[in-house]
């Protein structure tokens, strides 16, 4: 039998051992290494994410889940998108955005190219994305049990016309959102086909979610910038970045303060992806046109109109 002093020495020897190191990578290249113990701020206790995945998100602000959404679901979203582009379906409140430099549509020769569908919460088929069990299972790990879909988009990045307008400036999603707390907001972005650097995949700056919300404005780019494509005025362009190469159905979840953007589409195909996620005056002007709202509408009002409860209890913005 050990005496009390001997038992204490055994315990202390165990405590003095170096902490184990966990390495987790989003792509083939290592982004960060972690040391236990660590206080987890950005995820809730759950049985979905592994400890390694929680630590990776904690350090980097994003998490890529491979092959999450089945082809059948994505093909249905694509079909609905094509119907909207051909004007076979009219969706209340839907904002159809077109690239300023692309004169030829993918579907209608006499129309400019659709670069984004925004606010598709009234389209039953597209909104299925926000209610998919595969999506909600992971979203709950970041938001908790009460989940509202606040910002819905389907992005159709057109082939660049030579003016680099298909790029999206580096930005933080929280710039567009008047609601908080930021740590309970997450974006889910699913690739509807293979995306890589050739067709303008997402680019993220790991760890920037730990910083503050930066000032945004339209970048001074030759060739112009698409409407509402705001970018951060001041960030380090030499900071480590990760290009998220994704296959059809892969889904990335990221924090609203994570600095991210995308490059131009150098191919002849239209790159597609769908996501669940400004200057106040611009948003109010759009709302006044879409909903015939009065001039007294607030930024908070515009988001309250769009928000949809998908699980749990509705929360107050």
């Amino acid at each position: 039998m050990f005496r009390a002093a001997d038992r204490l020495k055994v315990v202390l020897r165990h405590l003095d051992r170096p902490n184990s190191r966990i390495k987790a990578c989003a792509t083939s290249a290592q982004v960060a290494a972690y040391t236990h113990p660590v206080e987890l701020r950005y995820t809730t206790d759950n049985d979905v994410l592994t400890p390694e995945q929680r630590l990776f998100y904690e350090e980097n602000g994003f998490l890529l889940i491979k092959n999450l959404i089945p082809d059948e679901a994505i093909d249905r979203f694509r079909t609905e998108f094509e119907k909207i582009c051909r004007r076979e379906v009219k969706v209340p409140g839907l904002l159809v955005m077109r690239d300023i430099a692309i004169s030829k549509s993918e579907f209608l020769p006499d129309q400019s190219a659709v670069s984004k569908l925004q606010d598709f919460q009234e389209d039953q088929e597209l909104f299925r994305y926000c209610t998919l069990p595969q999506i909600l299972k992971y979203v709950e790990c970041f938001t908790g049990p009460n989940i509202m879909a606040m910002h819905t988009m389907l992005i159709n990045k057109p082939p660049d016309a030579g003016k680099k307008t298909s790029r999206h400036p580096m930005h933080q999603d929280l710039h567009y959102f008047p609601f908080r707390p930021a740590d309970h907001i997450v974006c889910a972005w699913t690739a509807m086909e293979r995306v890589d650097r050739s067709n303008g995949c997402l680019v993220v700056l790991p760890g920037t979610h730990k910083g503050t919300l930066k000032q945004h404005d339209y970048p001074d780019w030759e060739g112009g910038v698409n409407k509402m494509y705001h970018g951060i005025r001041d960030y380090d362009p030499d900071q480590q970045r990760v290009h998220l190469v994704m296959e059809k159905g892969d889904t990335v979840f990221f924090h609203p303060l994570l600095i991210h953007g995308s490059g131009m589409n150098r191919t002849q195909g239209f790159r597609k992806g769908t996501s669940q996620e400004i200057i106040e005056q611009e948003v109010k002007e759009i709302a006044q046109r879409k909903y015939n709202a009065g001039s007294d509408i607030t930024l908070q009002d515009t988001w309250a109109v769009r928000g949809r409860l998908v699980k749990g209890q509705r929360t107050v913005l």
Side-chain angles (χ1 to χ4, degrees):
M1 295 289 293
F2 285 104
R3 293 176 301 173
D6 293 328
R7 289 199 298 270
L8 179 60
K9 289 179 181 179
V10 171
V11 172
L12 290 176
R13 281 200 301 272
H14 282 287
L15 293 176
D16 286 338
R17 290 179 179 176
N19 291 327
S20 60
R21 298 180 65 81
I22 298 176
K23 297 180 180 180
C25 303
T27 63
S28 58
Q30 178 179 334
V31 177
Y34 315 99
T35 303
H36 280 304
V38 63
E39 182 180 353
L40 299 179
R41 168 181 171 181
Y42 301 107
T43 56
T44 63
D45 291 335
N46 62 84
D47 57 1
V48 176
L49 300 180
T50 67
E52 292 82 1
Q53 287 174 323
R54 293 186 69 186
L55 288 169
F56 185 89
Y57 188 88
E58 192 79 18
E59 185 66 20
N60 295 289
F62 70 96
L63 183 66
L64 177 59
I65 304 298
K66 304 292 290 183
N67 198 31
L68 182 64
I69 307 302
D71 287 356
E72 179 184 1
I74 293 176
D75 292 342
R76 287 179 61 176
F77 299 146
R78 179 187 291 273
T79 298
E80 183 71 2
F81 169 75
E82 293 176 358
K83 289 180 179 178
I84 293 172
C85 290
R86 294 191 182 102
R87 297 181 175 177
E88 297 172 8
V89 176
K90 187 173 183 180
V91 182
L94 180 70
L95 180 61
V96 179
M97 305 180 72
R98 302 179 186 276
D99 191 283
I100 61 173
I102 309 295
S103 59
K104 186 177 181 180
S105 169
E106 192 177 3
F107 304 104
L108 295 176
D110 61 334
Q111 297 294 322
S112 57
V114 173
S115 60
K116 183 190 296 186
L117 299 182
Q118 190 161 290
D119 301 332
F120 57 68
Q121 65 274 0
E122 297 298 336
D123 186 288
Q124 184 175 1
E125 185 61 39
L126 290 181
F127 195 74
R128 286 182 53 253
Y129 173 80
C130 300
T131 64
L132 290 174
Q134 301 95 319
I135 292 292
L136 294 180
K137 178 177 71 172
Y138 281 95
V139 167
E140 187 170 351
C141 298
F142 308 99
T143 67
N146 300 320
I147 303 175
M148 292 186 65
M150 298 302 301
H151 194 198
T152 52
M153 294 188 298
L154 192 154
I155 301 170
N156 182 48
K157 184 185 285 285
D160 197 86
K163 297 182 180 294
K164 302 181 180 179
T165 56
S166 64
R167 293 178 296 173
H168 197 303
M170 301 299 283
H171 65 284
Q172 297 164 299
D173 283 354
L174 195 64
H175 162 67
Y176 298 92
F177 302 154
F179 41 87
R180 302 292 186 273
D183 292 347
H184 291 171
I185 302 171
V186 69
C187 174
W189 193 101
T190 297
M192 296 178 67
E193 59 191 61
R194 176 179 169 82
V195 292
D196 53 32
R197 297 187 68 170
S198 69
N199 60 1
C201 65
L202 284 177
V203 182
V204 300
L205 304 187
T208 51
H209 67 300
K210 299 177 183 178
T212 59
L213 181 60
K214 297 182 179 294
Q215 186 173 359
H216 289 61
D217 206 342
Y218 282 112
D220 185 18
W221 283 354
E222 181 181 356
V225 183
N226 285 313
K227 187 73 170 178
M228 303 294 289
Y229 276 35
H230 302 158
I232 292 174
R233 277 191 174 185
D234 181 27
Y235 78 96
D236 183 2
D238 296 324
Q239 186 170 350
Q240 180 191 17
R241 59 182 60 193
V242 173
H243 292 81
L244 297 183
V245 176
M246 300 168 64
E247 301 294 337
K248 181 179 179 180
D250 292 354
T251 303
V252 62
F253 299 88
F254 58 88
H255 191 279
L257 281 173
L258 182 75
I259 297 176
H260 65 287
S262 63
M264 63 179 178
N265 184 357
R266 298 190 297 269
T267 73
Q268 295 303 306
F270 286 66
R271 191 221 71 192
K272 295 175 177 63
T274 187
S275 66
Q276 178 183 339
E277 348 196 332
I278 326 195
I279 300 172
E280 183 168 0
Q281 188 58 36
E282 286 186 287
V283 178
K284 290 171 66 174
E285 289 173 356
I286 292 173
Q288 288 166 6
R289 291 196 304 269
K290 287 172 57 179
Y291 305 112
N292 295 319
S295 58
D296 57 343
I297 189 172
T298 67
L299 181 62
Q300 287 80 3
D301 291 336
T302 67
W303 286 104
V305 168
R306 288 179 279 184
R308 294 292 184 274
L309 178 68
V310 290
K311 186 176 181 180
Q313 298 180 344
R314 186 179 180 91
T315 56
V316 178
L317 296 181

